[in-house]
Amino acid sequence: MSTASKTVLHPVIASVTERIRARSIASRAAYLEKCQSMRRKGTQRGQLSCSNLAHGFAACSGEDKNRIRLEEAANIAIVSAYNDMLSAHKPLEYFPDLIREAVSELGCTAQFAGGTPAMCDGVTQGAEGMELSLFSRDTIAMSTAIALSHNMFDAVLCLGVCDKIVPGLLIGALSFGHLPMIMVPAGPMSTGLSNDEKARIRQLYAEGKVGREALLDAEASAYHGEGTCTFYGTANSNQMLMEAMGLHVPGTAFVPPNGALREQLTRAAAQQVCKITALTPNYTPLCDVVDERSLVNAIVTLLATGGSTNHSIHWIAIARAAGIIIDWQDFAELSEATPLLCRIYPNGKADVNHFHAAGGTGFIIAELLAAGLLHADVNTVWGKGLQHYSQAPSLAGGKLHWQQSPPISADDTVLRPSTEPFTPHGGMELLTGKLGRSIIKVSAVKAEHRYVKAPAVIFDTQEALKDAFDAGKLDRDFIAVVRFQGPRANGMPELHKLTPYLGILQERGFKVALVTDGRMSGASGKIPAAIHLCPEAYSGGPIAKIQNGDMLILDTENKLLDVLISEDELQKREAALYQPTFASDNYGRDLFAGLRANVSTAEEGAATFLL
């Protein structure tokens, strides 16, 4: 028996998990029955007519055609977010051929079932395309479902890395939860210009002290090759959480692209998914891996590593897709019980390559298991028990081997044991008050900036705040209220464009903060930002009633976000009305009007598939 299996589960982890389970009894049972009804049909190809089946294998080689026709060996669906504009997804170009070769060695087949969109928030930040970003997640989910709708497959390999892409792929795969599924990543790019230096040059540019060429040179030095951006934003948080949920080949998250180890890990994913289909004794469908325990494991790992606030939306949506109901109170209580074990940019100076070298995912999972902060007895794609993910892969003689991750961090400025954490609590908090409920990421915010009491300055667009900064109107203490940025108003864009301006003002000695019903990038952090505020302004939330000069309080110690006027006064005020910007239906935004009209709240996952 492993050490982890002997460890007593932390009482907060146990109680929150049980509360989630009890709250979700009816919806989870309905989801599992849906999966069971698909499972009862057996191999899906066997349900197809001869004409249907012939269409499905018409383009295959003779040998693969016979294997699919006989229905005795697994046929694997490849669903990929490959495109060659995005550095993180470029390496996926050659994965399908590698996968086909690997499964063929086991007598199985693989077909490229479908591609999904993969947009980059790094490209669209502050631009019109960012208003499509959040909803791209559900578009990816639908694309994944379409790829799997042909009923030709015994299991799924989902190829994707970045922000909305991994959650979208997982949500889509969960709609076919009777099938096994393994996520296949591509790895981070090599370290370039340091994140601190990049941020410094961005601020100099915002102040007009350097020109566009200097800024572009810095950005190109930071983002310079294939692989995921190296800061610990949403994309790399995705990879950490896939490890914690047991949906990866163990230790695959931060192995660099295009090397021999990455190639062998991709081959291992392809062959492993063949070994866990319903045609084998080790059948492990996705619906048996994603449950309330694995979801809590993901959230705890997110909090322990100071991961992206975007996942306070995405993992709620993922949970809903599996019939499980999670809310921000669950996040808040788990955060109180979870120590912060990492300092990765924006919560520190190191990037994910440094984190990986210091011990990486295996160290984190081993520490959290030993502290009783993770459920050890979960199902994973690699077998029973999360202890598999406390190991690290390596190559010996061209073959994969796993060994227990080193018990001591190679750099305690980046990675620490649970007995000596950076802070005793996790990286996110829930703020409540008369304005509603919001999330704040505190792991990158210095203690002296975690309490701000200042007058509100109201903005309805990011551009309005930039214009006020450029005009010198913001050299004072204030809390920027950027409203009408919620999912129903304009698709809930990230507001990372605001970070340099607010950062400059903070460094000038002013008390500044941000309150918004929008999102912030996973790369931001040093400015106290109450984000995802519910209810949003478009729906008449109190944020739409705040006026310039109203005194606001953002207080992370007391978990408070409030306006210093009476409840009666707030109720009497008329809510401001949404005024769409000029040509707000261009750049494809008109096509998403139906999703904006039907989206749930941020605390419900900003999901468009809930009825």
Side-chain angles (χ1 to χ4, degrees), residues 201-418:
I201 293 174
R202 283 179 178 176
Q203 289 196 179
L204 290 174
Y205 177 77
E207 292 180 284
K209 294 180 179 178
V210 301
R212 179 177 169 80
E213 280 301 309
L215 177 63
L216 185 55
D217 284 345
E219 299 287 358
S221 297
Y223 308 115
H224 60 87
E226 291 188 26
T228 319
C229 305
T230 60
F231 58 84
Y232 194 52
T234 310
N236 286 318
S237 297
N238 278 337
Q239 303 313 306
M240 185 74 240
L241 271 55
M242 289 298 96
E243 299 274 330
M245 290 182 73
L247 291 172
H248 269 174
V249 172
T252 194
F254 301 122
V255 172
N258 300 325
L261 181 55
R262 169 59 65 195
E263 178 177 322
Q264 290 303 317
L265 288 167
T266 301
R267 289 176 57 86
Q271 294 190 343
Q272 179 66 13
V273 85
C274 294
K275 298 174 184 177
I276 59 174
T277 73
L279 300 171
T280 75
N282 300 313
Y283 177 45
T284 309
L286 180 60
C287 63
D288 286 357
V289 176
V290 178
D291 63 13
E292 65 278 358
R293 297 169 302 161
S294 66
L295 288 161
V296 167
N297 283 352
I299 295 169
V300 168
T301 307
L302 177 75
L303 297 166
T305 54
S308 171
T309 51
N310 280 321
H311 291 325
S312 66
I313 297 175
H314 295 325
W315 252 254
I316 289 174
I318 289 166
R320 294 288 178 116
I324 296 168
I325 303 169
I326 291 172
D327 61 26
W328 288 343
Q329 186 61 38
D330 301 324
F331 274 77
E333 291 182 27
L334 292 171
S335 188
E336 283 296 306
T338 302
L340 183 68
L341 305 185
C342 293
R343 286 290 186 199
I344 323 171
Y345 190 86
N347 306 319
K349 295 184 181 298
D351 67 11
V352 293
N353 293 315
H354 197 159
F355 163 74
H356 183 63
T361 60
F363 180 91
I364 285 290
I365 289 174
E367 284 297 316
L368 293 173
L369 282 170
L373 292 166
L374 296 177
H375 294 274
D377 59 339
V378 291
N379 297 314
T380 82
V381 300
W382 210 247
K384 184 74 173 180
L386 194 60
Q387 72 276 1
H388 293 294
Y389 291 81
S390 64
Q391 301 180 90
S394 62
L395 284 180
K399 294 185 178 181
L400 277 172
H401 296 271
W402 277 265
Q403 59 281 329
Q404 188 65 29
S405 293
I408 299 173
S409 168
D411 187 343
D412 63 8
T413 68
V414 177
L415 196 55
R416 289 188 182 175
S418 59

Side-chain angles (χ1 to χ4, degrees), residues 399-519:
K399 294 185 178 181
L400 277 172
H401 296 271
W402 277 265
Q403 59 281 329
Q404 188 65 29
S405 293
I408 299 173
S409 168
D411 187 343
D412 63 8
T413 68
V414 177
L415 196 55
R416 289 188 182 175
S418 59
T419 53
E420 301 175 36
F422 290 101
T423 64
H425 306 301
M428 289 186 208
E429 293 178 0
L430 171 65
L431 302 181
T432 62
K434 289 194 287 292
L435 296 181
R437 295 163 67 82
S438 67
I439 291 290
I440 185 169
K441 181 177 178 178
V442 295
S443 52
V445 178
K446 292 181 179 179
E448 61 267 29
H449 300 310
R450 295 183 182 181
Y451 177 91
V452 180
K453 179 180 179 182
V457 180
I458 311 298
F459 304 98
D460 288 349
T461 66
Q462 298 180 74
E463 292 72 21
L465 189 150
K466 176 187 181 299
D467 291 345
F469 175 88
D470 289 342
K473 296 179 179 179
L474 298 180
D475 288 313
R476 54 193 169 104
D477 294 351
F478 72 100
I479 293 180
V481 178
V482 184
R483 61 192 184 185
F484 296 112
Q485 305 300 309
R488 291 180 66 85
N490 64 351
M492 205 179 190
E494 288 183 345
L495 307 179
H496 187 47
K497 180 179 179 179
L498 304 181
T499 301
Y501 308 112
L502 295 174
I504 289 165
L505 295 168
Q506 186 180 79
E507 290 179 6
R508 289 175 181 172
F510 299 113
K511 285 282 192 179
V512 296
L514 174 68
V515 172
T516 182
D517 47 9
R519 296 182 295 133

